[in-house]
Amino acid sequence: MRLLRSTDLALRILMRLAVSTDDTPATRKVAEDMGVPYTHAAKVVAELQHQGLLDARRGRGGGLALTERGRTASVGAVVRAFESGDEVVECEGATPCPLRSDCRLRGVLRQAQEAFYAFLDPITLDQLITDPTGPVLLGISLRPPGTPLS
């Protein structure tokens, strides 16, 4: 199973904000820290805000901040929200699978997908940022602008 880039970025943004030393970094700063285009980060930030996982304020004194819900959110719930419940295999697409009416593969893969989410459900953001990850994220957020990621 492969996660969408937006799912990966959502988790990394949440992790980055969880260790933030400045109160409310801007989306542009977080995108730079994560080494991703601003436009991608902005779309993900909008979705995270829609889900109630972070607050985003524009203008002077604005920036991003985790909400309490974001700090305690289940990693499984975040992944589910970004993955949109898509099937692991496409059985009905432009060229439908000839086995679709009597195939067990789709059901087995759906069960495996649910097992993946169930494994992630008890994991929280706080667990993801314990050592050694937290200090690395903190180091990334403290590096001077324009310094390459190492």
Side-chain angles (χ1 to χ4, degrees), residues 53-90:
L53 301 175
L54 60 79
D55 285 327
R57 284 173 271 128
R58 291 179 173 213
R60 191 174 188 90
L64 306 175
L66 279 180
T67 62
E68 186 57 35
R69 182 176 179 199
R71 192 166 294 286
T72 61
S74 155
V75 172
V78 174
V79 171
R80 271 188 191 91
F82 275 85
E83 293 295 315
S84 305
D86 291 339
E87 294 285 337
V88 177
V89 293
E90 180 62 50

Side-chain angles (χ1 to χ4, degrees), residues 14-149:
L14 292 172
M15 291 168 63
R16 161 60 177 84
L17 292 175
V19 298
S20 182
T21 55
D22 50 356
D23 294 329
T24 55
T27 302
R28 193 167 302 282
K29 170 75 169 120
V30 172
E32 182 181 298
D33 290 348
M34 296 290 104
V36 298
Y38 168 77
T39 54
H40 294 346
K43 288 177 186 176
V44 170
V45 162
E47 180 59 28
L48 289 169
Q49 184 178 21
H50 177 74
Q51 292 177 25
L53 301 175
L54 60 79
D55 285 327
R57 284 173 271 128
R58 291 179 173 213
R60 191 174 188 90
L64 306 175
L66 279 180
T67 62
E68 186 57 35
R69 182 176 179 199
R71 192 166 294 286
T72 61
S74 155
V75 172
V78 174
V79 171
R80 271 188 191 91
F82 275 85
E83 293 295 315
S84 305
D86 291 339
E87 294 285 337
V88 177
V89 293
E90 180 62 50
C91 299
E92 305 295 334
T95 55
C97 176
L99 301 174
R100 70 186 177 277
S101 63
D102 296 314
C103 182
R104 292 184 179 188
L105 178 62
R106 186 182 208 175
V108 169
L109 291 175
R110 188 176 299 128
Q111 286 177 322
Q113 183 179 34
E114 280 308 311
F116 174 73
Y117 291 140
F119 181 83
L120 294 175
D121 282 339
I123 301 170
T124 64
L125 185 58
D126 285 338
Q127 290 173 290
L128 292 180
I129 61 168
T130 59
D131 285 351
T133 306
V136 171
L137 282 165
L138 190 57
I140 290 170
S141 65
L142 295 176
R143 69 186 170 78
T147 306
L149 296 172

